Amino acid sequence: MLLAHPSVPVKSVRDMVALAKARPGQLNYASAGAGSATHLSGELLKSLAGVNIVHVPYRGTGPAVTALRSGEIVRILGLADVREQLTTQGLDPVGGTTEQFGAYLKAEIAKWAKVVKASGAKPE
């Protein structure tokens, strides 16, 4: 889900990307903390959309939502917020706790390491 303060003139992810491209480094987004699913979702969106938005980590979702409602921060990204857009771009977004995300990463590394080893692929 992408949430924006009412003062931000966006109604969709497309609008947000266009605004971020027009104002690089001037927009920010809140997350539930560094390394959280919301933080990594924001970083993935930045990478996929080619935008420069500033991450502002909070100590959990509650403080981030409070900051959004007060106008202190203008945007909050959550994995559920961008799931549909990421899926349409061929990605498989997953989410949950930081522990679940760590377990997912370990499983993905192990899976792809086997594929790379079996293929004989080497860095060039």
Side-chain angles (χ1 to χ4, degrees), residues 1-2 41 78-84:
M1 178 184 328
L2 174 66
S41 296
L79 187 58
D81 303 348
V82 295
R83 181 178 303 277
E84 183 179 338

Side-chain angles (χ1 to χ4, degrees), residues 14-95:
R14 185 180 316 268
D15 291 349
M16 190 277 301
V17 169
L19 183 62
K21 286 185 176 187
R23 296 171 49 190
Q26 296 178 27
L27 300 179
N28 53 36
Y29 73 97
S31 78
S36 67
T38 50
H39 173 217
L40 297 177
S41 296
E43 294 302 312
L44 182 60
L45 180 62
K46 285 171 56 173
S47 174
L48 291 173
V51 296
N52 179 9
I53 54 178
V54 179
H55 174 234
V56 180
Y58 284 84
R59 292 180 184 247
T61 303
V65 170
T66 300
L68 173 71
R69 295 178 87 192
S70 71
E72 178 182 335
I73 193 91
V74 296
R75 187 163 289 99
I76 297 177
L77 289 173
L79 187 58
D81 303 348
V82 295
R83 181 178 303 277
E84 183 179 338
Q85 181 178 1
L86 296 177
T87 301
T88 62
Q89 294 179 18
L91 300 172
D92 183 23
V94 295

